[in-house]
């Protein structure tokens, strides 16, 4: 076990929408991702997904509402709920999700990251 410095880990990559694994616990992966712009509509059939904003602002858009998150705030999208995320300016996000969870959920396209890189 070693401590994890999130700022150091975030400095190691620049790509948007490409999560990196920085830890694991109880079958969950702790992932860092930088986002800017709008992601795609998708859902995760068997997993909840938690978004914690480390820097910037994030919108979690669902069919019936939008949740706006500021630094230090988090939101859990329940399994099966269609959603997409959006950030007008670059935001840094910490995600907890089961290890087998794919970032694009039920959709496969050029933004799908199978087996994210470990930092």
């Amino acid at each position: 076990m070693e401590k994890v410095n999130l700022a150091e880990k975030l400095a190691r990559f620049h790509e948007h929408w490409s999560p990196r694994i920085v830890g694991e616990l109880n079958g969950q992966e702790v992932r860092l991702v930088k986002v800017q712009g709008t992601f795609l509509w998708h859902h995760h059939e068997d997993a909840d997904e938690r978004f914690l904003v480390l820097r910037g602002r994030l919108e979690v858009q669902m069919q019936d509402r939008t949740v706006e998150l500021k630094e230090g705030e988090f939101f859990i999208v329940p399994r099966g709920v269609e959603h997409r995320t959006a950030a007008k300016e670059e935001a840094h996000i910490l995600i907890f999700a089961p290890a087998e969870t794919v970032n694009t959920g039920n959709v496969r396209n050029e933004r799908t990251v199978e087996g994210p890189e470990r930092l």
Side-chain angles (χ1 to χ4, degrees), residues 35-89:
V35 301
Q36 187 170 8
T38 303
F39 204 54
L40 57 108
W41 286 103
H42 68 285
H43 70 273
H44 302 279
E45 194 64 40
D46 299 318
D48 301 328
E49 190 173 27
R50 188 194 89 166
F51 298 94
L52 168 64
V53 177
L54 301 173
R55 188 181 111 194
R57 293 177 179 262
L58 181 73
E59 288 185 357
V60 180
Q61 302 170 350
M62 293 160 284
Q63 295 298 330
D64 63 342
R65 66 185 173 131
T66 296
V67 176
E68 296 181 19
L69 301 174
K70 298 178 277 187
E71 292 179 15
E73 297 180 329
F74 75 86
F75 181 75
I76 298 170
V77 177
R79 68 193 69 200
V81 173
E82 188 172 39
H83 64 284
R84 70 178 181 182
T85 51
K88 291 178 184 169
E89 297 181 12

Side-chain angles (χ1 to χ4, degrees), residues 4-24 28-35 49 54 90 92-97 99 101-103 111-119:
V4 175
N5 182 302
L6 296 177
E8 288 176 6
K9 298 292 187 185
L10 284 160
R12 294 178 56 185
F13 69 99
H14 302 286
E15 301 83 12
H16 294 137
W17 308 109
S18 184
R20 303 301 203 279
I21 300 168
V22 295
E24 295 180 49
Q28 300 269 317
E29 288 179 345
V30 181
R31 301 174 181 177
L32 289 176
V33 64
K34 293 180 178 180
V35 301
E49 190 173 27
L54 301 173
E90 185 176 84
H92 298 173
I93 313 300
L94 184 71
I95 297 172
F96 283 92
T101 301
V102 176
N103 66 323
R111 287 192 164 171
T112 301
V113 177
E114 305 258 6
E117 179 183 340
R118 293 179 185 276
L119 295 181

